[in-house]
Amino acid sequence: MEKDRRLMIYCLLLAAISIPVFTGEWKANVVKELKALVTSCVVVPCSFTHPGPNLPTSKLRGIWHQSNHRGNLIYDEDETSISENFRGRTKLLGHLGQKNCTLEMSEIKDHDNGPFCFRIELAQTSSPEKFSFLEDCVEFKMLPDPPKPELHHLKTAYQGRPYTVTCSVKHTCPYDPPKLTWSRATADVPNVVHKETHLGNWEVESILTILPEEKDDHTDITCTANFNGPKTSSATLTLYVKRSKNYNHIIIPTVVAIGTAVIFAVFCVFMVKRYKRQIAALQRGDGSVWNRLSRMSRRIRSDGPGPSRSDQRRSTWSRYLRRPKADTVDMSHIPKNVNSKSCDDQKVSKPRFPSPKSQPKSYNHQEEDFDGGDVYENSADLSIYGNI
């Protein structure tokens, strides 16, 4: 009786624990499709839910199998039950007690395309319950070649200014991500960032910062991604370096022009002040400025070259022609009955005129004595003297 009673109590307790589990609905959340690189690895995110309280991992058993062949296991706690084609290449990353059923598959082969489904079993029961999620399976899309990295950068680099290039590549293996290397060495180690872009896809990013020089113009920078396998892919950019703006060709001529203008202005001011002082001194000592200037002008004229020989002769005749007419000979007092013989015998004395050569030469104020009008006015008097 005592044994039966204990067995009844144990059955009631087991029923109390099992009823919420079996009466609820089990669900799994698995990525439908992933891109898998051949020879690399892939991580399949997976989670599940069940009714009732959390169950310990020891009471749960997770299994991955092919959807069309439930007996063809790709993962199980018992490795002997795993298909030989997948043995040693799969492992469960999550903890079933935390409702995590994430699977990792390494050394991907070109025929590992799936689809693959998850199944969970309740252990330590007389008749284990199995929950298969055939509607939530994952399928792989095989990539024979690795994806190329993507480069993000500015179109133009400036000399002497920091220039940043970002290289990123997508992958499906966060536990063994591809390694990014640069063709250009720098003093600072490039910054590497790992992040999950969306469920089942990750991205590794490397940031390179350089100081371009003039010699770097039209040079190439290459980013190489080394995947597990090993497989590599790369991307290259051509660097265009723009010289720093140099305004020396504008600044230097401008400074020279301004400096010349300032020097010239200072010189002009100095000369103006100097002449003003001289003019003021002249006004105080020798009367007005204009008188001083007129005296200087006459002095310059007197120091000039003398008149030419023709000008001297013309001036002499001009003085002669301006002599008064009273000096001419009066013939009216001679009697008319005087015979010609007596006239012939009688000599008339003519006044002697000085020769121009006997006169002393004078070069001063000759132009003032010359008057062309007097020559024509006294032409009649000259004819009379000629007749005599």
Side-chain angles (χ1 to χ4, degrees):
M1 291 292 295
E2 186 69 22
K3 291 182 179 180
D4 295 337
R5 201 163 96 185
R6 289 180 180 178
L7 182 60
M8 186 178 295
I9 295 173
Y10 177 77
C11 292
L12 290 174
L13 292 175
L14 182 62
I17 296 174
S18 301
I19 286 175
V21 175
F22 297 146
T23 56
E25 185 178 3
W26 291 63
K27 294 181 180 180
N29 184 16
V30 182
V31 178
K32 300 294 183 181
E33 183 181 85
L34 288 175
K35 294 179 180 180
L37 176 63
V38 176
T39 72
S40 184
C41 69
V42 62
V43 173
V44 182
C46 173
S47 62
F48 64 93
T49 59
H50 61 80
N54 291 336
L55 299 175
T57 302
S58 58
K59 292 185 177 182
L60 300 173
R61 180 184 177 186
I63 298 173
W64 283 86
H65 61 88
Q66 291 186 347
S67 61
N68 297 331
H69 303 86
R70 295 186 181 184
N72 191 3
L73 306 182
I74 65 172
Y75 171 78
D76 191 4
E77 292 179 357
D78 185 5
E79 290 188 0
T80 59
S81 61
I82 299 176
S83 174
E84 186 177 356
N85 189 28
F86 294 94
R87 191 175 298 169
R89 296 196 296 122
T90 58
K91 64 179 179 178
L92 201 65
L93 298 178
H95 297 280
L96 296 178
Q98 299 176 356
K99 303 177 183 179
N100 189 344
C101 52
T102 300
L103 176 72
E104 180 186 8
M105 183 182 295
S106 59
E107 300 178 9
I108 297 294
K109 303 182 184 302
D110 55 0
H111 57 268
D112 296 338
N113 52 352
F116 304 107
C117 304
F118 175 68
R119 184 176 76 226
I120 191 168
E121 298 178 357
L122 294 178
Q124 296 180 357
T125 59
S126 56
S127 57
E129 295 291 332
K130 301 178 181 180
F131 299 93
S132 295
F133 309 99
L134 299 178
E135 295 181 358
D136 298 300
C137 301
V138 62
E139 188 173 359
F140 296 152
K141 182 179 180 181
M142 297 301 171
L143 298 177
D145 298 317
K148 287 187 176 183
E150 296 180 359
L151 297 176
H152 304 278
H153 58 91
L154 296 177
K155 186 177 181 180
T156 304
Y158 292 91
Q159 181 181 354
R161 298 183 184 178
Y163 184 72
T164 302
V165 183
T166 302
C167 177
S168 60
V169 65
K170 293 180 173 59
H171 62 94
T172 57
C173 188
Y175 297 99
D176 192 7
K179 296 177 177 58
L180 299 177
T181 58
W182 295 92
S183 62
R184 174 157 182 167
T186 57
D188 298 331
V189 178
N191 187 21
V192 180
V193 178
H194 298 274
K195 56 184 178 180
E196 185 177 7
T197 56
H198 52 275
L199 195 61
N201 290 271
W202 288 265
E203 184 181 67
V204 59
E205 183 179 85
S206 179
I207 302 173
L208 176 70
T209 302
I210 61 174
L211 289 175
E213 299 179 1
E214 185 177 355
K215 65 180 181 180
D216 297 326
D217 191 23
H218 290 81
T219 57
D220 294 337
I221 298 179
T222 302
C223 175
T224 303
N226 300 286
F227 291 83
N228 187 19
K231 286 189 176 184
T232 61
S233 63
S234 61
T236 303
L237 69 91
T238 301
L239 189 63
Y240 296 97
V241 180
K242 191 173 183 180
R243 295 180 181 179
S244 299
K245 293 182 179 180
N246 190 348
Y247 297 99
N248 290 336
H249 63 287
I250 299 175
I251 296 174
I252 293 176
T254 303
V255 171
V256 171
I258 294 174
T260 304
V262 170
I263 293 173
F264 182 75
V266 172
F267 177 76
C268 290
V269 171
F270 174 76
M271 294 301 295
V272 167
K273 289 184 177 180
R274 180 179 178 182
Y275 280 105
K276 282 184 177 181
R277 287 196 298 268
Q278 292 180 357
I279 292 172
L282 291 174
Q283 288 178 348
R284 289 192 302 269
D286 297 329
S288 65
V289 177
W290 297 112
N291 294 337
R292 181 65 177 174
L293 294 177
S294 63
R295 287 197 296 271
M296 292 174 62
S297 176
R298 285 197 298 272
R299 186 183 302 169
I300 294 172
R301 290 179 60 188
S302 63
D303 294 339
S308 63
R309 195 174 188 84
S310 60
D311 293 339
Q312 294 176 8
R313 188 179 297 111
R314 191 180 304 125
S315 178
T316 303
W317 281 105
S318 175
R319 288 198 301 273
Y320 168 75
L321 294 175
R322 283 200 296 270
R323 295 178 67 87
K325 294 181 180 181
D327 295 339
T328 59
V329 179
D330 188 6
M331 304 297 291
S332 61
H333 64 280
I334 301 174
K336 295 181 180 181
N337 54 0
V338 179
N339 52 18
S340 61
K341 183 178 180 179
S342 62
C343 291
D344 295 334
D345 295 337
Q346 187 178 2
K347 295 180 179 180
V348 180
S349 61
K350 298 181 180 180
R352 296 180 63 86
F353 296 97
S355 173
K357 296 183 178 180
S358 63
Q359 297 292 327
K361 296 181 180 181
S362 176
Y363 295 96
N364 296 331
H365 309 289
Q366 296 294 334
E367 294 180 358
E368 296 177 358
D369 296 336
F370 175 75
D371 188 358
D374 294 340
V375 177
Y376 296 100
E377 291 175 358
N378 300 326
S379 60
D381 297 337
L382 183 60
S383 63
I384 296 173
Y385 288 108
N387 292 332
I388 297 173

